[in-house]
Amino acid sequence: MPAWVAWAIVAVLLAVGEIFTPGLFFLGPVALAALASTIAAALGAAVWMQIVIFGVGSFAAVGLLRPIARRHLKMPHAIRTGAAALEGAKATVLQRVDGRGGRVKIGGEEWSARSYVADESFDVGTEVEVAQIQGATALVYR
Protein backbone atom coordinates (compact mmCIF):
# COMPACT_ATOMS: atom_id res chain seq x y z
CA MET A 1 0.00 0.00 0.00
CA PRO A 2 1.43 3.43 -0.88
CA ALA A 3 2.30 5.68 2.06
CA TRP A 4 -0.11 8.40 0.95
CA VAL A 5 -3.01 5.92 1.16
CA ALA A 6 -2.02 4.98 4.72
CA TRP A 7 -1.86 8.67 5.72
CA ALA A 8 -5.24 9.29 4.06
CA ILE A 9 -6.78 6.43 6.05
CA VAL A 10 -5.29 7.85 9.27
CA ALA A 11 -6.69 11.30 8.43
CA VAL A 12 -10.18 9.91 7.79
CA LEU A 13 -10.15 7.82 10.99
CA LEU A 14 -9.07 10.84 13.05
CA ALA A 15 -11.78 13.00 11.45
CA VAL A 16 -14.42 10.37 12.22
CA GLY A 17 -13.07 10.12 15.77
CA GLU A 18 -13.49 13.88 16.14
CA ILE A 19 -17.16 13.54 15.22
CA PHE A 20 -17.71 10.97 17.98
CA THR A 21 -15.87 12.90 20.74
CA PRO A 22 -18.07 15.92 21.45
CA GLY A 23 -16.51 19.02 22.93
CA LEU A 24 -12.87 17.95 22.81
CA PHE A 25 -11.77 19.31 19.40
CA PHE A 26 -8.50 17.40 19.56
CA LEU A 27 -8.60 14.78 16.83
CA GLY A 28 -9.70 17.21 14.10
CA PRO A 29 -6.49 19.27 14.14
CA VAL A 30 -4.43 16.06 14.21
CA ALA A 31 -6.41 14.87 11.16
CA LEU A 32 -5.27 18.05 9.37
CA ALA A 33 -1.66 17.12 10.15
CA ALA A 34 -2.27 13.63 8.73
CA LEU A 35 -3.70 15.28 5.61
CA ALA A 36 -0.49 17.32 5.27
CA SER A 37 1.51 14.09 5.55
CA THR A 38 -0.73 12.55 2.87
CA ILE A 39 0.16 15.38 0.51
CA ALA A 40 3.86 15.08 1.36
CA ALA A 41 3.79 11.33 0.71
CA ALA A 42 1.96 11.83 -2.60
CA LEU A 43 4.67 14.31 -3.63
CA GLY A 44 7.35 11.71 -2.87
CA ALA A 45 8.75 12.92 0.46
CA ALA A 46 10.81 10.46 2.51
CA VAL A 47 9.09 8.59 5.34
CA TRP A 48 11.07 10.48 7.99
CA MET A 49 9.91 13.79 6.45
CA GLN A 50 6.28 12.61 6.48
CA ILE A 51 6.58 11.78 10.18
CA VAL A 52 8.20 15.15 10.94
CA ILE A 53 5.42 16.95 9.03
CA PHE A 54 2.82 14.97 10.98
CA GLY A 55 4.43 15.72 14.36
CA VAL A 56 5.01 19.42 13.76
CA GLY A 57 1.61 19.79 12.08
CA SER A 58 -0.13 18.09 15.01
CA PHE A 59 1.44 20.33 17.61
CA ALA A 60 0.86 23.46 15.54
CA ALA A 61 -2.75 22.63 14.66
CA VAL A 62 -3.72 21.66 18.20
CA GLY A 63 -1.86 24.63 19.67
CA LEU A 64 -3.43 27.15 17.29
CA LEU A 65 -6.89 25.79 16.45
CA ARG A 66 -8.06 24.19 19.71
CA PRO A 67 -8.01 27.41 21.79
CA ILE A 68 -9.91 29.25 19.07
CA ALA A 69 -12.52 26.50 18.81
CA ARG A 70 -13.00 26.29 22.59
CA ARG A 71 -13.55 30.07 22.79
CA HIS A 72 -16.28 29.82 20.15
CA LEU A 73 -18.06 26.96 21.94
CA LYS A 74 -18.83 29.08 25.00
CA MET A 75 -21.32 31.93 25.16
CA PRO A 76 -20.15 34.85 27.36
CA HIS A 77 -21.42 34.70 30.96
CA ALA A 78 -23.04 38.13 30.68
CA ILE A 79 -25.45 36.88 27.99
CA ARG A 80 -26.41 33.53 29.52
CA THR A 81 -29.30 33.22 31.96
CA GLY A 82 -31.08 30.40 33.78
CA ALA A 83 -29.71 26.89 33.39
CA ALA A 84 -27.59 28.00 30.40
CA ALA A 85 -25.61 30.21 32.80
CA LEU A 86 -24.38 27.03 34.54
CA GLU A 87 -22.75 25.64 31.38
CA GLY A 88 -19.00 25.89 31.80
CA ALA A 89 -19.29 26.17 35.59
CA LYS A 90 -17.09 24.07 37.84
CA ALA A 91 -18.76 21.37 39.91
CA THR A 92 -17.70 18.95 42.63
CA VAL A 93 -18.84 15.33 42.53
CA LEU A 94 -20.86 14.44 45.64
CA GLN A 95 -21.95 10.96 44.54
CA ARG A 96 -20.18 8.90 41.85
CA VAL A 97 -21.17 10.19 38.39
CA ASP A 98 -21.31 7.90 35.35
CA GLY A 99 -23.45 7.55 32.23
CA ARG A 100 -26.49 6.56 34.30
CA GLY A 101 -26.44 9.19 37.04
CA GLY A 102 -24.87 10.75 40.12
CA ARG A 103 -24.87 14.01 42.11
CA VAL A 104 -22.73 17.16 41.85
CA LYS A 105 -22.55 20.49 43.65
CA ILE A 106 -22.67 23.52 41.35
CA GLY A 107 -22.35 26.95 42.96
CA GLY A 108 -23.70 25.80 46.32
CA GLU A 109 -26.61 23.81 44.86
CA GLU A 110 -26.88 20.04 44.53
CA TRP A 111 -27.77 18.74 41.05
CA SER A 112 -28.40 15.35 39.54
CA ALA A 113 -25.70 14.61 36.99
CA ARG A 114 -24.55 12.25 34.25
CA SER A 115 -21.23 12.09 32.47
CA TYR A 116 -21.23 13.90 29.12
CA VAL A 117 -19.33 10.99 27.54
CA ALA A 118 -21.32 7.84 28.32
CA ASP A 119 -18.41 5.56 29.30
CA GLU A 120 -16.69 8.12 31.57
CA SER A 121 -17.13 8.11 35.35
CA PHE A 122 -16.02 10.43 38.16
CA ASP A 123 -15.45 9.59 41.81
CA VAL A 124 -16.51 11.62 44.84
CA GLY A 125 -14.53 14.85 45.24
CA THR A 126 -13.52 15.12 41.58
CA GLU A 127 -13.66 18.60 40.04
CA VAL A 128 -15.67 18.53 36.79
CA GLU A 129 -17.08 21.08 34.36
CA VAL A 130 -20.71 21.38 33.30
CA ALA A 131 -21.00 20.77 29.55
CA GLN A 132 -24.77 21.06 29.29
CA ILE A 133 -27.97 21.13 31.33
CA GLN A 134 -30.74 18.74 30.23
CA GLY A 135 -33.87 19.34 32.27
CA ALA A 136 -32.73 19.07 35.88
CA THR A 137 -29.61 17.04 35.07
CA ALA A 138 -26.12 18.43 34.54
CA LEU A 139 -23.99 16.68 31.93
CA VAL A 140 -20.39 16.91 33.16
CA TYR A 141 -16.88 16.17 31.92
CA ARG A 142 -13.34 16.64 33.19
Side-chain angles (χ1 to χ4, degrees), residues 103 111-113 133-138:
R103 306 289 291 175
W111 281 74
S112 61
I133 302 291
Q134 283 185 349
T137 302

Side-chain angles (χ1 to χ4, degrees), residues 18-49:
E18 177 65 38
I19 292 168
F20 291 109
T21 55
L24 293 180
F25 196 69
F26 180 77
L27 298 176
V30 178
L32 290 175
L35 183 62
S37 293
T38 301
I39 293 168
L43 294 174
V47 173
W48 68 269
M49 181 58 82

Side-chain angles (χ1 to χ4, degrees), residues 46-119:
V47 173
W48 68 269
M49 181 58 82
Q50 296 168 29
I51 293 170
V52 168
I53 289 171
F54 179 72
V56 170
S58 294
F59 283 113
V62 169
L64 294 173
L65 296 177
R66 190 164 192 257
I68 294 168
R70 290 191 53 92
R71 272 194 304 257
H72 285 90
L73 288 175
K74 296 181 180 179
M75 185 184 300
H77 285 288
I79 297 173
R80 294 187 287 177
T81 59
L86 296 175
E87 293 177 6
K90 300 293 183 195
T92 305
V93 176
L94 299 175
Q95 182 182 57
R96 181 179 164 83
V97 174
D98 57 25
R100 292 180 285 145
R103 306 289 291 175
V104 295
K105 189 172 201 170
I106 308 170
E109 296 180 354
E110 192 172 322
W111 281 74
S112 61
R114 284 193 330 259
S115 60
Y116 188 60
V117 179
D119 60 344

Side-chain angles (χ1 to χ4, degrees), residues 124-138:
V124 174
T126 304
E127 289 285 322
V128 293
E129 188 171 325
V130 178
Q132 185 178 359
I133 302 291
Q134 283 185 349
T137 302

